[in-house]
């Protein structure tokens, strides 16, 4: 059986604290409330289970019943709120359905239910009470609008009558329960609203703080704590807070204080300087709020962090400054200082460097330090592959972010950092063929990695790479134009000489008599043959140059023992000039593997060695040297002729210029050796340099030992 209040019937043994009530009270329920209110346990504030139990005890006393309960409606069930004299466990009687309880009848009808003998009452369905029957007195608990909130009832295990005074007492108790439950619901709803409002304010991207009329902080959302910290709202001076002009602000300048004075603030800029040099920028709104009587009850201030927007504006300005500098500069070295100045200013860092890959090393092409930076930062002129921050970025070919260069093994020498530089960033610079340089930037504070900053640096590195690529294209266009002019000049110079000889000696053969043919014919034919070979060599090299310039030549780079190739060419040349007053000295390693096109490199060595033999005077020495230096193979061919004037050195690579210092040797030349050599070497990502002195002239070729 279920109890009349909806749970298991109270009975068997009443709790020790519940003494049986043997007589009805002499006073009303309100009198009992007044008496109990003087005690220490009854509180009319937030309703708790303890105060609800006290109210149930007073209901039992006023009704002269051994048991009393207070229930409230929750969806389709009654939940126990307070009880007195109930012997069953709380979990058993805590919750019952509306359709299987006497309390459900009270809720459905909304009126007082008086049952003196449950077994004889036709309103009570079978199964709602125990076999012994009982008496039940229940009154509905209404809210202010009249809706039923719950039930307040007294219960006796034995049939009994209920006096009008007892009915009135339980009714008055239901009114008190109405107040208490209503207050509980109101407080619950208010707490839910507060929680909802707190969640909304904490989820805002803006920091919000509010104070009361006395200026005491009443609320600070989590965003505000992260932006400014609690110290901003304490009693100490505001640390590092300035207005847009950099003027320090006192606590009286804060928006809350000004708003309490009646000021309304909209979109006022602020700046907050942290322990590092990094500055955070904000926009502040503040205003007072008033009561119904017009008095100021407090103030609220909202702060929006606009640091990222400000930084984005600086980044856009930086990119514009970089593109302007590159547009106006003739070379990347000339544009470097202006580019680095724009980067340092945009990041609010202190130092930047631009490095360029050159001849197997990386060279410091430009550097820039922030104005007012104490002392000069030592920067090495060159770094090897993998050495230092720039060399390592070149090696790994990806951005590097070092949080503190002052720590051991940070890739930066102690002399460079000197406890003044901390965070460093290095970004490789690429053109169409691969890494050609590195952009490095340094801060004087420790900074955590930022995607936006890396994106800016990568964008600037891309601008630099495009500038180099564009400069090379323009230079190539100039070279193509010059090559066209050189080819035309070559037709009138180099081709004319062998053609003239061939024509003249052919004419001599045609006009010679039989005796002359027998005597001079072989010599004349030999001259014609030699000039024909020279003409064929010129035509082949012109075609090769044209293919290289147009990008149609197929340069196949495979591992080749360059030492063996050079050694073979030297031996062949020695045999070709056997008897000539020129000595060829060779200093070659046993083996040197270089990724190159074997046939084209062999042709280059033949041209250079043949040219050195032609230009060397009688008794002179031609020196051929091959060695590896770092990641580069160096091949030098030196003759014993007088130095080529500096003004003539570049002209020798044009293809139609020829110095007058040469001597006629058994090895003919086309005049295109250096031009073709430069074209082939550059396709191998190497370089050709012409140097000289009083003892002779040297052609130095540098080739990378690794594929780039």
């Amino acid at each position: 059986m279920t109890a009349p209040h909806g749970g298991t019937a109270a009975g068997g043994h009443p709790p020790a604290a519940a003494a049986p009530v043997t007589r009805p009270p002499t006073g009303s329920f309100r009198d009992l409330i007044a008496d109990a209110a003087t005690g220490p346990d009854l509180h009319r504030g937030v309703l708790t289970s303890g105060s609800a139990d006290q109210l149930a005890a007073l209901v039992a006393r006023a009704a002269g019943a051994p048991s009393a309960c207070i229930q409230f409606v929750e969806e389709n069930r009654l939940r126990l709120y307070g009880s007195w004299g109930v012997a069953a466990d709380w979990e058993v009687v805590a919750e019952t359905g509306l359709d299987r309880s006497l309390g459900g009848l009270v809720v459905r009808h909304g009126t007082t239910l008086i049952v003196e003998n449950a077994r004889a009452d036709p309103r009570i369905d079978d199964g709602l009470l125990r076999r012994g029957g009982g008496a039940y007195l229940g009154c509905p608990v209404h809210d202010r609008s009249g809706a039923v909130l719950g039930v307040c009832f007294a219960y006796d295990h034995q049939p009994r009558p209920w006096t009008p005074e007892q009915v009135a007492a339980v009714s008055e108790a239901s009114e008190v329960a109405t107040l208490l439950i209503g207050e509980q619901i109101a407080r619950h709803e208010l707490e839910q609203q507060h929680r909802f409002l707190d969640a909304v304010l904490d989820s805002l991207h803006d920091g919000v703080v509010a104070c009361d009329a006395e200026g005491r902080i009443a609320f600070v959302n989590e965003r505000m704590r992260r932006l400014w910290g609690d110290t901003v709202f304490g009693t100490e001076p505001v640390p590092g807070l300035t207005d847009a002009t950099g003027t320090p602000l006192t606590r009286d300048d804060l928006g809350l204080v000004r708003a309490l004075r009646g000021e309304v603030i909209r979109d006022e800029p602020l700046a907050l300087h942290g322990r590092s040099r990094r500055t955070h920028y904000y926009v502040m709104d503040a205003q007072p709020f008033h009561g119904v009587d017009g008095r100021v009850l407090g103030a609220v201030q909202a702060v929006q962090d606009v640091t990222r927007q400000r930084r984005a504006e600086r980044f856009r300005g930086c990119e514009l400054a970089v593109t302007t500098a590159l547009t106006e500069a003739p070379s990347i070295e000339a544009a470097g200082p202006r580019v680095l100045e724009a980067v340092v200013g945009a990041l609010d860092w202190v130092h930047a460097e631009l490095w360029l890959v050159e001849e197997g090393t990386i060279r410091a092409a430009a550097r820039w330090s922030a104005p007012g930076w104490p002392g000069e930062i030592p920067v090495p002129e060159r770094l090897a592959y993998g050495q230092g921050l720039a060399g390592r970025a070149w090696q790994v070919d990806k951005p590097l972010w070092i949080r503190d260069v002052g720590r051991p093994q940070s890739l930066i020498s102690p002399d460079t950092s000197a406890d003044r530089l901390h965070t460093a960033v290095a970004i490789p610079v690429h053109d169409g063929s691969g890494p050609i340089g590195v952009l490095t930037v340094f801060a004087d504070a420790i900074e955590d990695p930022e995607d936006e900053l890396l994106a800016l640096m990568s964008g600037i590195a891309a601008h630099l790479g495009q500038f180099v690529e564009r400069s090379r294209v323009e230079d190539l266009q100039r070279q193509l134009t010059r090559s066209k002019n050189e080819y035309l000049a070559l037709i009138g110079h180099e081709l004319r000489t062998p053609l003239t000889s061939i024509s003249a000696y052919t004419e001599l053969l045609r006009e010679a008599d039989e005796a002359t043919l027998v005597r001079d014919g072989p010599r004349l034919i030999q001259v014609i043959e030699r000039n024909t070979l020279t003409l064929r060599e010129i035509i082949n090299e012109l075609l090769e140059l044209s293919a290289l310039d147009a990008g149609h030549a197929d340069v196949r780079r495979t591992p080749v023992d360059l030492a063996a190739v050079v050694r073979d060419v030297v031996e062949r040349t020695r045999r070709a000039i056997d008897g000539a007053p020129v000595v060829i000295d060779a200093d070659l390693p046993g083996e040197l593997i270089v990724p190159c096109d074997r046939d084209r490199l062999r042709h280059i060595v033949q041209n250079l060695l043949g040219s050195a033999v032609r230009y060397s005077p009688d008794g002179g020495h031609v020196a051929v040297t091959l060695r590896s230096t770092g990641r580069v193979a160096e091949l030098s061919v030196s003759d014993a002729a007088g130095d080529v004037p500096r003004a003539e050195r570049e002209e020798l690579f044009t293809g139609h210029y020829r110095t007058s210092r040469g001597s006629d040797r058994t090895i003919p030349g086309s005049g295109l050796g250096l031009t073709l050599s430069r074209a082939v070497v550059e396709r191998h990502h190497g370089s050709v340099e012409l140097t000289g002195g009083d003892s002779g002239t040297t052609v130095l070729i540098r080739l990378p030992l690794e594929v780039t």
Side-chain angles (χ1 to χ4, degrees):
M1 292 291 182
T2 55
H5 51 72
T8 302
H13 55 280
V21 179
T22 58
R23 61 178 179 83
T26 56
S28 68
F29 183 77
R30 294 186 184 277
D31 295 331
L32 291 175
I33 287 292
D35 294 338
T38 61
D41 296 329
L42 185 62
H43 304 280
R44 298 299 300 272
V46 176
L47 187 61
T48 64
S49 60
S51 59
D53 290 341
Q54 293 172 0
L55 178 59
L58 291 174
V59 171
R61 179 181 173 187
S67 303
C69 292
I70 300 172
Q71 296 174 306
F72 65 91
V73 178
E74 187 178 85
E75 297 180 352
N76 61 346
R77 60 187 180 273
L78 283 170
R79 183 178 293 278
L80 187 62
Y81 195 57
S83 66
W84 178 261
V86 178
D89 292 338
W90 178 270
E91 291 77 8
V92 177
V93 301
E95 182 178 318
T96 58
L98 288 173
D99 56 345
R100 296 294 297 170
S101 64
L102 295 180
L105 294 176
V106 177
V107 173
R108 284 198 297 271
H109 297 289
T111 59
T112 301
L113 176 63
I114 302 174
V115 178
E116 296 182 347
N117 186 350
R119 295 186 64 182
D121 196 322
R123 296 172 299 175
I124 309 304
D125 296 334
D126 291 339
L128 287 184
L129 291 175
R130 300 179 66 177
R131 293 179 180 178
Y136 179 90
L137 174 57
C139 295
V141 178
H142 296 90
D143 62 9
R144 295 179 180 179
S145 63
V148 177
L149 294 177
V151 180
C152 178
F153 67 88
Y155 172 68
D156 198 330
H157 303 294
Q158 302 298 325
R160 57 164 290 176
W162 300 102
T163 67
E165 290 79 5
Q166 292 171 339
V167 174
V170 175
S171 178
E172 291 176 356
S174 68
E175 294 178 7
V176 176
T178 296
L179 297 175
L180 294 178
I181 295 178
E183 181 181 358
Q184 171 75 2
I185 294 175
R187 287 182 177 274
H188 176 72
E189 291 178 349
L190 183 59
E191 182 183 0
Q192 291 295 99
Q193 292 176 359
H194 285 169
R195 290 179 178 272
F196 176 77
L197 180 59
D198 290 346
V200 170
L201 292 175
D202 280 339
S203 66
L204 293 178
H205 289 289
D206 296 348
V208 179
V209 59
C211 68
D212 60 17
E214 303 300 324
R216 295 184 294 266
I217 300 300
F219 174 81
V220 180
N221 74 339
E222 186 62 27
R223 181 65 173 174
M224 177 63 85
R225 295 184 188 276
R226 291 201 303 266
L227 291 179
W228 281 7
D230 292 333
T231 57
V232 177
F233 310 107
T235 58
E236 299 298 325
V238 183
L241 190 64
T242 67
D243 60 14
T245 64
T247 303
L249 298 178
T250 65
R251 195 163 301 280
D252 290 339
D253 297 319
L254 286 176
L256 281 176
V257 178
R258 293 160 58 189
L260 281 178
R261 295 196 294 259
E263 185 177 353
V264 176
I265 303 169
R266 290 289 181 266
D267 298 331
E268 182 172 303
L270 296 174
L272 183 62
H273 306 280
R275 295 180 180 179
S276 66
R277 298 182 72 253
R278 179 67 58 83
T279 301
H280 291 271
Y281 299 93
Y282 306 94
V283 173
M284 179 181 68
D285 293 334
Q287 66 180 40
F289 55 89
H290 304 81
V292 293
D293 56 356
R295 292 186 302 110
V296 174
L297 300 180
V300 62
Q301 171 185 309
V303 175
Q304 181 182 9
D305 190 347
V306 295
T307 303
R308 297 184 67 178
Q309 293 89 319
R310 291 283 298 272
R311 172 175 279 197
E313 293 173 1
R314 293 204 312 272
F315 284 3
R316 287 193 293 269
C318 175
E319 288 195 281
L320 178 60
V322 168
T323 54
T324 301
L326 294 176
T327 301
E328 297 175 352
S331 65
I332 191 171
E333 288 85 353
R338 291 180 59 186
V339 170
L340 299 181
E341 179 184 7
V343 173
V344 169
L347 300 184
D348 197 20
W349 288 18
V350 296
H351 182 70
E353 299 161 359
L354 176 61
W355 299 77
L356 296 179
V357 175
E358 187 177 90
E359 299 177 356
T361 62
I362 190 165
R363 174 177 60 88
R367 66 197 73 180
W368 178 268
S369 296
W373 179 253
E376 183 179 355
I377 298 175
V379 180
E381 291 299 324
R382 288 182 181 271
L383 293 172
Y385 184 73
Q387 180 186 10
L389 178 60
R392 180 63 61 84
W394 173 30
Q395 180 184 45
V396 301
D397 194 18
K398 65 180 182 180
L400 296 179
W401 185 295
I402 299 181
R403 195 168 180 267
D404 189 359
V405 300
R407 302 186 65 180
Q409 300 179 347
S410 69
L411 305 176
I412 302 296
S413 67
D415 294 337
T416 300
S417 60
D419 296 329
R420 298 179 300 168
L421 300 179
H422 291 282
T423 295
V425 179
I427 305 292
V429 178
H430 295 84
D431 66 356
S433 60
I436 61 168
V438 174
L439 178 64
T440 59
V441 189
F442 298 85
D444 63 344
I446 296 178
E447 304 282 353
D448 293 322
E450 293 186 36
D451 293 338
E452 293 178 351
L453 191 149
L454 289 174
L456 171 70
M457 294 281 289
S458 299
I460 293 174
H463 282 301
L464 294 173
Q466 292 171 1
F467 175 81
V468 173
E469 187 75 15
R470 185 170 60 252
S471 298
R472 287 182 176 177
V473 170
E474 294 173 354
D475 184 59
L476 179 59
Q477 291 175 342
R478 289 192 295 269
Q479 290 182 15
L480 290 175
T481 301
R482 187 177 64 183
S483 297
K484 181 184 67 175
N485 296 332
E486 291 172 359
Y487 294 160
L488 294 176
L490 190 61
I491 293 176
H493 183 269
E494 298 296 340
L495 295 181
R496 182 180 298 173
T497 300
L499 284 175
T500 300
S501 298
I502 293 172
S503 177
Y505 281 87
T506 302
E507 184 69 23
L508 289 175
L509 286 173
R510 185 171 53 250
E511 295 179 354
D513 54 18
E514 184 177 353
T516 302
L517 286 175
V518 172
R519 185 182 68 252
D520 299 329
R523 182 180 60 82
L524 298 176
I525 293 174
Q526 186 178 10
V527 172
I528 293 173
E529 183 181 17
R530 186 174 65 246
N531 282 277
T532 301
L533 291 174
T534 300
L535 186 61
R536 181 183 294 113
E537 181 181 355
I538 292 173
I539 293 173
N540 289 337
E541 292 188 348
L542 282 174
L543 293 175
E544 179 76 357
L545 277 173
S546 177
L548 289 171
D549 287 340
H552 297 153
D554 186 13
V555 178
R556 298 182 178 179
R557 302 174 66 187
T558 58
V560 173
D561 185 0
L562 187 57
V565 173
V566 175
R567 188 178 296 109
D568 181 67
V569 173
V570 169
E571 294 300 327
R572 289 175 181 270
T573 305
R574 283 172 176 168
R575 290 195 296 268
I577 63 169
D578 186 25
V582 175
V583 178
I584 300 177
D585 299 323
D587 182 9
L588 308 176
E591 182 183 72
L592 182 57
I593 304 300
V594 178
C596 64
D597 189 316
R598 177 190 296 270
D599 294 337
R600 285 190 166 87
L601 260 296
R602 176 187 294 276
H603 193 198
I604 294 290
V605 178
Q606 289 174 347
N607 279 338
L608 295 180
L609 192 55
S611 178
V613 169
R614 284 194 302 275
Y615 290 128
S616 294
D618 292 344
H621 284 253
V622 173
V624 180
T625 302
L626 178 64
R627 64 179 181 176
S628 62
T629 303
R631 300 176 59 252
V632 175
E634 292 185 347
L635 171 65
S636 64
V637 179
S638 303
D639 59 36
D643 182 23
V644 177
R646 186 173 299 274
E648 294 185 9
R649 291 176 184 175
E650 189 63 25
E651 295 290 338
L652 288 175
F653 290 97
T654 62
H656 71 276
Y657 182 84
R658 204 160 190 171
T659 182
S660 58
R661 68 189 183 104
S663 302
D664 186 17
R665 297 290 184 197
T666 58
I667 299 179
S670 65
L672 293 172
L674 289 178
T675 305
L676 185 59
S677 297
R678 169 176 282 183
V680 172
V681 170
E682 287 183 350
R683 289 298 300 273
H684 284 76
H685 304 294
S687 63
V688 179
E689 182 181 358
L690 186 64
T691 61
D694 296 337
S695 59
T697 301
T698 299
V699 178
L700 178 62
I701 294 178
R702 294 186 177 92
L703 296 170
L705 290 175
E706 299 177 5
V707 177
T708 58

